[in-house]
Amino acid sequence: MDEKSLSRLELNKVLSACADYACLDGTKAIFAGLSPSTDLAEVRDKLARTAECVKLLFRYGIIGIEYFPDVEDLLVRASKRSTLSCAELRQVNLLLRSARIAYTSINGVDDGEIIAIKGDSARIYYDKNLEDDITEKIISDDEVSDHASAALFSIRSKIKSLNERIRSKLSEYVTGDTSRYLQDGIVTMRGDRYVIPVKAEYRSRVKGLVHDRSQSGATFFIEPEYVLELNNELVALQIDEKEEVERILKALSGRVGDMSERLKTDMAVLAEIESYYARAQYSYAKKCVMPQVNKRGYINIIKGRHPLIDPRKVVPVSLELGGSYNFLLISGANTGGKTVTLKMCGLFCLMAACGIFVPAAEGTAVCAFDDIFCDVGDSQSIEDSLSTFSSHITTVIDMCKRATAGSLVLIDELGGGTNPDEGQALAKAVVEHFLKIGCRGIVTTHFTPLKEFAYTVDGIENASMEFDASTLKPLYSIKIGLPGASNALAICRRFGMDEEILDRAVGYLSEGGKAFENIVRRAEESRVEADKKLAEAASLERSLKEKLAEVNRRIDELNKQRERLTANARAESRRIINERTAQAEELLDEIEQLFKKEELSQGDLIKARTLKNKLKNSAYSNDESQRPVTNYIEATAENLHVGDDIFFVKLQSAGQVLSINAARGEVEIVCGSIKTRCKISDLQKINSPKKSAKLPHKGEVRVRNANPSTPTQPQLEINLLGMTVSEALYEVDNFIDRAVMSNLEEIKVIHGVGTGKLREAIARHLKGHKNVKSFRLGKYGEGETGVTIITLK
C-alpha cells in the first residue's frame, strides 16, 4: 500500500498503541513492521484470531503471554555446544516457562469456536523436565544449588567440614599463647587460603608460608605450616567443585542446544500469539467491534469513533459507501468534522486489514481494498520548492495513475489552493476519472459547482456535516443526500469580524452562489427541524407503545386472576354443596332409623327434633335480603365515639370503643375478652343497618354495597348454655369451621359449670378434631371452668 497514505491516516499510531499492550520485544517488532493485508481470506483470518483472543482473555481469564527476553543468540551458542552461564540458563528457562503456560492455558479452554489460536499453540514446544531441572539446580544468576548433583553435594559438604577444621586449628593461635604474636585476633584469607595477621617483629616465631604484607609493613599474613596441607586439600576440593559446576552447566546447556531450533520457533509463535492478544486488549479498551469484511468495495460505518480522538470528546459518525453510489462528496462548515470523517473511513479499513477491531457499533462493514490513497492537510515542501497546491496536485496525479477499481481514494479539499474556477473544474474532471475507473472514494469540498455536479452525475452522492444555524456550532454528524452550506461568513461573524467587512463580502457574492447557498442553508435548517420533530414523534410513539404494553399486561394479569378466583369459587361451592349434601343424607338416615322403631321414647323424640334442627341449619338460604349487611367506613378522631362498634384490622375482629385519646390518635377497645390500645388508623367504624329501616315496596329495587373486599365480622366466641350434648357438639363444629375460614387463631366456647357433662363431652370431642391445635379451661377473668379456650391450627 501507499506508505505516505498510511502515514497520513496515522495507522502507525494505532499500531504503536497496540504494541503498548505487548511485553515481548518480538511482538513489538511485529507491530513495527506490520502492513495491512489486501487478501480477504487473510484479513478475515486475522480478525477471527483477534476475536478468539478476546474470548480467551475476557471470558476465560487467560493471562496472556508471560515475559521472556530475546534469547536467540544464547540458543545459537548452545546449539554450537557452548556452555551457558547460570544467568543465561535462567533466561532460557523464562522462555520454557512462557511456552508451557501459553500451551496449557490455551488448550485448557474447552470452546469449539477457538480454532486458529489453538492451531498456533500446537506449534509450541516445551520441556517441563528441563524447566524443572534449571529451576531446581540454578538458584540465582551466579550460583548452582548444592543439590544439583550428588557429587556436588559431597564436595561442598567436604569443603564445609574442612573449613571448620582449618578455622578450629587457626583459632588456637588466636586464643593460645601465640596470640601475642598477632596483630589482630582474627582469621582472614589471602588468595583462597586461610592466613593469620602476624606482627612483623614476630614473623620468625610463626613457621609457615608468607602470602602478603600490609602497606605499612607492620603486619605479615602467614599461612601456618600445620594448616598448609589442609589449605592444599581445600584448594583441591574447590577445583573439584568448579569442575562439577561446569559439568552441570554444560549438561544443561547441551539439552538447550538440542532443542534450540524448536525454542526459536517458540519465540516466533509466542510473539505472534501475543500480537493478537495485544490487538484484543486494544480493541477491548477502545470498545471496538469486529467489522464485517468484503472485497466488493462496500463500507458501512455505524456510529464510528476515531480511535485517536479523546473518547470523552469524540462524536460518533455513521456513513455508507459502495452500495448505490461509489463516491461521497462531503461539504459543510469548517471544523465540522469532514476531515476527521474522511480519515476515519480510511483508518477503519486499514485497522481491519491488520486484524484490529474498529471503534464502532455492531453491523459495521469495511472493505479489504487493494490500495488506499489519501491526500489530507498541507504537504508543502520547502526543500522541494513545492507550494501547497503543487504538493497537493502532485499527490492527486499519482492517485490518478495508480488507482484501480479495488482502490479507496480519500481527498481533502480537492482543487483547493488555486483559482476557484480552475480548482472546481479540475475537481470535477478528477472525480469523473475516478468514477470511470470504478474505485471508491470520499472527497471534501467547499466548491458550490462541485456540489451541483454531484446532483447531475451517477455514482456520486452529496453529504453534509450538520451545523446548528442558531448557535453557529458544528454538530459533528454526517447527513447523506444533501450538500452542506459552508457558513463561512456566519462563522466570521461569530468570531467577531467587523459587520461592514461582512456586508461588503456579501455584496461580492455572485447571485447564483448566494441563491444556492441560501437554498442549501434553508433546506438544511428544514431538515434539522424535521429530524427533531421526527425524533420527538418516535420518542412519543415508543412511550405510548410501552404504556399500551403495560396496560395489556395488566389486563392479562387481571383476566388470569379473575379466572383463578372463579375456578376457586366454583371448586369451593362444589365442596360445600357436597359436604352439606352428605351431612343432610346422614341426618335423614338417622331420622329414618329412629322412625323405624315400633315405639319412640321421649329421648328418641328429642333426638329427632335435634336432627331436624340440624337439617334446617344446614340448608342454604339464597334470600340475600335476609342477610344483614355491614358497612365499614374509615375511622377518624371526629367520627369515632365511645361505645361505637369497630373492626380491628390487625386482629381481624370486631369490638367496641371504650375510650378515645384524640391528641395521641389512640383508642382503647375491647374485642371479645381482649382489651387493648391501638391507633385510630388501624380501625374501621361499623355502620350496622338500622332495624327501623323500611322494607322495600313490591317492585322496588334496593341497592346495597356488595364489594367482595369488604371484611366480614368474625365471631370470637359461642354460647352453648341450655343445649344438649349432641346439639352443642354440632354447634362447636360449625363454630370451628367458621373460625378457620376467618383465619382466627384462638376462640372461646361458653358451656357453663353445671354438672360438667357438657365440658367433658366438648373436651373429648376436641381431642381428635383435625383443626384444633390445643385447648384449655379459662383462667381467672376469662370465665374459669365455665369456658374452654381453643387454639386453632
Side-chain angles (χ1 to χ4, degrees):
M1 284 196 178
D2 184 62
E3 291 297 328
K4 290 183 179 179
S5 296
L6 297 183
S7 176
R8 292 186 183 109
L9 292 173
E10 300 177 289
L11 175 65
N12 59 322
K13 294 182 179 179
V14 173
L15 295 178
S16 177
C18 289
D20 289 341
Y21 289 97
C23 65
L24 302 181
D25 294 337
T27 306
K28 295 181 185 294
I30 287 175
F31 280 113
L34 187 61
S35 296
S37 175
T38 60
D39 182 77
L40 180 60
E42 184 178 350
V43 171
R44 287 177 174 170
D45 179 68
K46 288 183 176 182
L47 290 172
R49 290 170 187 270
T50 303
E52 290 181 12
C53 287
V54 168
K55 292 182 71 175
L56 288 169
L57 289 172
F58 304 108
R59 180 181 295 182
Y60 298 110
I62 301 302
I63 61 172
I65 304 299
E66 286 208 1
Y67 171 78
F68 61 86
D70 186 350
V71 294
E72 186 171 359
D73 291 343
L74 302 182
L75 296 176
V76 171
R77 284 174 48 205
S79 66
K80 295 179 180 178
R81 297 305 167 188
S82 294
T83 300
L84 303 180
S85 67
C86 292
E88 290 169 340
L89 283 170
R90 281 165 61 87
Q91 289 181 8
V92 174
N93 206 36
L94 290 176
L95 170 58
L96 288 168
R97 171 183 167 81
S98 182
R100 174 179 57 80
I101 291 175
Y103 180 88
T104 55
S105 63
I106 292 171
N107 289 278
V109 173
D110 185 13
D111 190 329
E113 294 181 356
I114 298 176
I115 302 172
I117 297 298
K118 281 190 176 181
D120 292 340
S121 70
R123 297 161 53 204
I124 296 175
Y125 171 82
Y126 69 93
D127 188 328
K128 185 67 166 58
N129 293 328
L130 177 58
E131 180 190 344
D132 291 341
D133 283 347
I134 293 176
T135 301
E136 292 170 2
K137 294 180 179 181
I138 302 176
I139 57 179
S140 70
D141 286 349
D142 53 10
E143 185 178 1
V144 175
S145 170
D146 293 348
H147 302 281
S149 71
L152 183 62
F153 181 79
S154 176
I155 291 170
R156 286 184 173 175
S157 296
K158 291 177 181 178
I159 290 174
K160 183 178 179 181
S161 175
L162 192 55
N163 275 319
E164 291 176 353
R165 287 173 58 195
I166 293 173
R167 284 181 173 275
S168 176
K169 285 283 187 182
L170 292 176
S171 65
E172 295 176 4
Y173 270 96
V174 175
T175 59
D177 294 336
T178 56
S179 62
R180 65 181 182 275
Y181 302 148
L182 304 183
Q183 193 71 261
D184 295 302
I186 60 172
V187 176
T188 184
M189 297 192 75
R190 286 293 186 273
D192 293 331
R193 301 181 74 89
Y194 286 99
V195 296
I196 53 177
V198 179
K199 296 177 182 178
E201 59 268 26
Y202 295 119
R203 67 175 182 168
S204 61
R205 299 290 185 92
V206 178
K207 295 182 180 181
L209 183 65
V210 177
H211 282 275
D212 197 4
R213 185 180 67 179
S214 66
Q215 291 183 354
S216 62
T219 304
F220 283 81
F221 296 95
I222 300 175
E223 179 183 3
E225 62 180 4
Y226 64 83
V227 297
L228 186 62
E229 285 302 321
L230 293 176
N231 272 331
N232 288 340
E233 187 178 347
L234 179 62
V235 170
L237 287 172
Q238 288 173 342
I239 293 172
D240 292 342
E241 178 192 20
K242 184 178 180 181
E243 290 177 349
E244 180 61 18
V245 168
E246 284 291 330
R247 187 192 67 76
I248 292 170
L249 295 180
K250 187 176 183 64
L252 292 174
S253 300
R255 292 168 67 183
V256 171
D258 292 340
M259 62 181 70
S260 60
E261 291 302 321
R262 285 177 287 187
L263 293 180
K264 288 180 187 177
T265 302
D266 278 357
M267 291 178 62
V269 173
L270 292 173
E272 185 70 17
I273 292 176
E274 195 194 31
S275 73
Y276 287 104
Y277 277 142
R279 290 174 173 94
Q281 288 176 290
Y282 174 84
S283 300
Y284 184 82
K286 292 290 185 179
K287 297 178 178 159
C288 301
V289 298
M290 180 177 174
Q292 303 168 13
V293 188
N294 61 83
K295 198 66 178 175
R296 64 181 189 277
Y298 179 67
I299 298 174
N300 182 24
I301 297 175
I302 304 172
K303 295 182 179 179
R305 308 175 307 279
H306 198 290
L308 301 179
I309 299 178
D310 188 341
R312 294 170 295 183
K313 299 179 180 179
V314 67
V315 179
V317 175
S318 300
L319 67 84
E320 188 175 6
L321 179 68
S324 57
Y325 50 87
N326 291 340
F327 256 78
L328 265 182
L329 183 69
I330 304 179
S331 54
N334 288 315
T335 70
K338 299 189 299 295
T339 304
V340 171
T341 300
L342 177 144
K343 292 177 69 175
M344 180 189 72
C345 184
L347 183 58
F348 275 17
C349 294
L350 293 175
M351 289 172 66
C354 293
I356 305 170
F357 290 1
V358 298
E362 289 289 349
T364 293
V366 295
C367 174
F369 288 104
D370 295 337
D371 215 335
I372 296 178
F373 299 98
C374 179
D375 179 37
V376 178
D378 185 359
S379 302
Q380 64 177 336
S381 171
I382 295 176
E383 293 179 356
D384 296 336
S385 301
L386 293 176
S387 67
T388 299
F389 176 75
S390 298
S391 62
H392 167 69
I393 206 62
T394 299
T395 304
V396 172
I397 291 170
D398 183 60
M399 290 182 186
C400 292
K401 290 179 179 179
R402 297 170 56 191
T404 64
S407 301
L408 175 65
V409 176
L410 306 169
I411 306 177
D412 189 28
E413 302 294 346
L414 177 59
T418 187
N419 179 281
D421 290 337
E422 293 182 344
Q424 59 87 14
L426 180 64
K428 289 181 185 178
V430 170
V431 171
E432 280 185 319
H433 172 75
F434 288 135
L435 288 172
K436 185 178 179 181
I437 291 174
C439 63
R440 309 299 190 267
I442 299 176
V443 173
T444 67
T445 188
H446 287 288
F447 290 144
T448 297
L450 199 56
K451 301 174 191 177
E452 297 172 346
F453 171 77
Y455 276 121
T456 60
V457 177
D458 292 334
I460 185 171
E461 185 68 67
N462 269 306
S464 61
M465 301 305 296
E466 293 189 283
F467 188 82
D468 191 333
S470 59
T471 61
L472 300 179
K473 291 183 179 180
L475 299 177
Y476 302 107
S477 60
I478 192 169
K479 196 69 179 180
I480 308 295
L482 285 176
S486 297
N487 292 291
L489 298 182
I491 293 173
C492 291
R493 180 174 287 107
R494 175 171 170 256
F495 283 106
M497 182 172 280
D498 189 273
E499 287 293 333
E500 183 180 349
I501 298 174
L502 291 172
D503 292 341
R504 194 173 299 165
V506 171
Y508 289 140
L509 287 175
S510 66
E511 292 301 322
K514 285 194 284 187
F516 183 82
E517 287 293 319
N518 288 334
I519 291 171
V520 169
R521 188 177 296 107
R522 285 195 294 271
E524 188 172 352
E525 291 172 359
S526 299
R527 181 189 54 75
V528 170
E529 184 65 23
D531 287 347
K532 183 179 179 182
K533 296 292 184 185
L534 183 61
E536 290 176 357
S539 176
L540 181 60
E541 182 182 7
R542 286 194 300 271
S543 177
L544 291 175
K545 285 183 177 179
E546 289 173 0
K547 289 180 180 179
L548 181 60
E550 178 65 17
V551 169
N552 289 333
R553 186 185 65 78
R554 292 188 178 183
I555 289 174
D556 290 341
E557 288 181 358
L558 289 173
N559 288 335
K560 291 177 182 178
Q561 187 177 2
R562 183 179 63 184
E563 290 174 2
R564 286 197 301 270
L565 290 173
T566 302
N568 291 340
R570 288 174 179 168
E572 183 64 15
S573 298
R574 285 195 298 270
R575 186 190 67 78
I576 293 173
I577 291 171
N578 293 335
E579 184 179 293
R580 294 300 178 91
T581 302
Q583 289 177 358
E585 289 176 353
E586 289 178 5
L587 293 172
L588 289 172
D589 186 56
E590 288 186 37
I591 294 172
E592 187 177 341
Q593 293 298 325
L594 282 174
F595 283 98
K596 284 183 178 179
K597 294 182 179 180
E598 294 181 359
E599 292 184 7
L600 294 175
S601 64
Q602 186 66 28
D604 291 335
L605 291 175
I606 293 173
K607 185 176 181 181
R609 185 167 60 250
T610 302
L611 293 172
K612 176 185 176 184
N613 291 336
K614 286 185 179 181
L615 185 60
K616 182 179 180 181
N617 291 335
S618 66
Y620 280 96
S621 175
N622 292 323
D623 186 2
E624 292 290 339
S625 63
Q626 301 292 326
R627 300 182 184 180
V629 178
T630 303
N631 294 324
Y632 292 81
I633 63 173
E634 184 180 356
T636 63
E638 289 76 17
N639 67 5
L640 207 59
H641 304 89
V642 174
D644 284 352
D645 293 330
I646 52 86
F647 182 77
F648 188 20
V649 178
K650 289 186 176 179
L651 285 182
Q652 289 289 300
S653 62
Q656 282 187 336
V657 177
L658 298 179
S659 64
I660 301 174
N661 188 339
R664 299 182 60 181
E666 293 181 349
V667 292
E668 184 179 18
I669 62 172
V670 60
C671 297
S673 60
I674 300 174
K675 185 185 293 185
T676 183
R677 282 190 172 275
C678 66
K679 298 285 187 182
I680 294 177
S681 57
D682 292 336
L683 303 179
Q684 289 182 324
K685 185 177 178 181
I686 300 175
N687 282 344
S688 300
K690 297 180 179 178
K691 297 179 180 179
S692 60
K694 294 181 180 179
L695 293 173
H697 296 294
K698 187 175 182 180
E700 181 182 350
V701 178
R702 174 174 290 176
V703 179
R704 65 181 181 84
N705 183 6
N707 187 354
S709 63
T710 302
T712 59
Q713 180 177 350
Q715 189 178 354
L716 296 175
E717 60 183 39
I718 186 173
N719 192 335
L720 305 179
L721 297 176
M723 293 187 186
T724 64
V725 170
S726 57
E727 290 175 335
L729 295 180
Y730 173 75
E731 292 299 333
V732 167
D733 283 341
N734 287 337
F735 178 48
I736 290 174
D737 289 342
R738 291 194 298 273
V740 170
M741 294 296 291
S742 299
N743 293 321
L744 297 181
E745 294 182 0
E746 191 173 85
I747 56 176
K748 181 193 291 186
V749 176
I750 303 172
H751 44 66
V753 180
T755 61
K757 273 189 175 184
L758 187 55
R759 181 181 70 241
E760 294 172 359
I762 291 173
R764 286 194 301 270
H765 184 68
L766 293 177
K767 284 182 180 179
H769 202 287
K770 62 180 181 180
N771 292 322
V772 175
K773 182 178 181 182
S774 63
F775 62 90
R776 62 178 175 80
L777 293 176
K779 298 177 182 177
Y780 178 76
E782 291 180 334
E784 301 183 27
T785 58
V787 301
T788 295
I789 307 298
I790 302 173
T791 302
L792 301 174
K793 291 182 180 178

